[in-house]
Amino acid sequence: QVQLVESGGGLVQPGGSLRLSCSASGITFSLYVMGWYRQAPGKERELVARITSGGRINYADSVKDRFTISRDNAKNTVYLQMNSLKPEDTAVYYCNSRYFDNYWGQGTQVTVSS
């Protein structure tokens, strides 16, 4: 059974930082493209960042130079370091794994507010 479990969300003030983690089980983690997506109320889910099995990384323009995605294949975990957070970063953040199949985590809420 495949499971993606996100953690690290919460409430943070503008300009603050959070680190999200996604722990995967039931897949050969090193083969998968791992990504972080987010969905704000009333908006479609959008890609935030993704990292391939070879380490190639893509970011949404809105988070470039503020967010950093990384992966630890030994721990089957992908991370999203989020710095200089803005109110518009408020959303539910979802972990995604993609190879020949596609899996999603349950999501973790990130709220940026003073």
Side-chain angles (χ1 to χ4, degrees):
Q1 182 181 359
V2 178
Q3 279 193 312
L4 301 178
V5 180
E6 300 103 334
S7 60
L11 173 64
V12 64
Q13 292 187 342
S17 298
L18 284 175
R19 188 194 196 203
L20 304 184
S21 299
C22 171
S23 178
S25 60
I27 60 173
T28 306
F29 182 83
S30 61
L31 297 178
Y32 279 71
V33 177
M34 299 301 299
W36 288 97
Y37 289 71
R38 67 186 181 188
Q39 188 166 19
K43 294 188 176 181
E44 293 188 353
R45 191 172 297 188
E46 63 176 359
L47 174 69
V48 176
R50 64 184 166 207
I51 181 168
T52 70
S53 58
R56 189 170 71 247
I57 292 173
N58 296 104
Y59 293 103
D61 288 342
S62 59
V63 307
K64 280 180 182 176
D65 301 322
R66 298 190 298 123
F67 291 10
T68 302
I69 189 171
S70 61
R71 65 190 297 162
D72 186 336
N73 289 341
K75 295 183 178 180
N76 286 3
T77 301
V78 62
Y79 305 97
L80 186 68
Q81 178 66 45
M82 304 186 295
N83 299 328
S84 302
L85 282 160
K86 304 175 181 180
E88 51 263 44
D89 295 317
T90 295
V92 178
Y93 283 70
Y94 296 91
C95 178
N96 173 261
S97 64
R98 186 168 302 179
Y99 188 43
F100 290 108
D101 40 13
N102 190 27
Y103 301 102
W104 293 92
Q106 82 286 351
T108 185
Q109 176 71 45
V110 172
T111 302
V112 185
S113 175
S114 55

